[in-house]
Amino acid sequence: MIPLTPALVPREFSLGTLTLQGASRATAASYWRLKELDIVFDMGHCPQAFIGATRVFLTHCHLDHAMGVVYWAAQRQMMRMPGGTIYVPAGTEEGMRRVLASWAVMQGPRGRYDCEVVAMADGDEVEISRGLSVRAF
């Protein structure tokens, strides 16, 4: 992976009972994980600690917000972990599937990553746990 500038070294913040980990710098990378909920918001970079997250929500598919997704999928496959789910804005799902498929072919003999790409339109919600959900807007 690309070496991180000091502004992009992951930081950790306590949000009551939740721990927010990550960093953001415009045009470079944005990546945030809610550790206890096992979810990631944006993945412009994928620290090793984020690979265990089973759900990734992308606010949009610019490289600074999505570049780490292929690495995440490849690492999960190499470690024989279940694929996981990538939630993307409606209209970008086919592009994301093509990106993943292209890299998977170059990665090795399986030729596919075992992850699902799900489109989210404005107002769509995904339940994270009882009483908590992610809503697209």
Side-chain angles (χ1 to χ4, degrees):
M1 296 291 314
I2 299 168
L4 296 176
T5 63
L8 285 174
V9 171
R11 293 184 175 91
E12 192 167 291
F13 304 93
S14 179
L15 303 172
T17 60
L18 300 176
T19 307
L20 179 67
Q21 300 169 313
S24 182
R25 182 170 181 192
T27 73
S30 290
Y31 58 102
W32 297 99
R33 175 174 83 142
L34 283 169
K35 181 179 177 181
E36 293 80 5
L37 299 178
D38 194 30
I39 60 174
V40 172
F41 293 98
D42 287 336
M43 196 172 267
H45 175 70
C46 182
Q48 199 69 25
F50 285 29
I51 291 167
T54 58
R55 293 176 283 190
V56 176
F57 293 86
L58 298 181
T59 58
H60 59 286
C61 291
H62 292 171
L63 283 177
D64 59 328
H65 290 255
M67 188 167 47
V69 169
V70 172
Y71 181 79
W72 171 80
Q75 291 296 301
R76 291 183 67 80
Q77 180 184 21
M78 260 183 8
M79 295 179 194
R80 293 181 166 77
M81 299 169 80
T85 306
I86 305 162
Y87 297 90
V88 298
T92 64
E93 64 274 13
E94 285 308 314
M96 181 57 70
R97 288 183 188 119
R98 285 193 304 269
V99 166
L100 288 164
S102 295
W103 276 101
V105 167
M106 293 184 285
Q107 187 72 20
R110 278 188 63 194
R112 124 178 237 292
Y113 297 128
D114 183 29
C115 55
E116 182 180 9
V117 177
V118 175
M120 290 187 74
D122 288 354
D124 286 353
E125 287 192 38
V126 174
E127 185 175 346
I128 302 302
S129 66
R130 182 180 288 170
L132 290 174
S133 61
V134 173
R135 181 182 310 143
F137 61 92

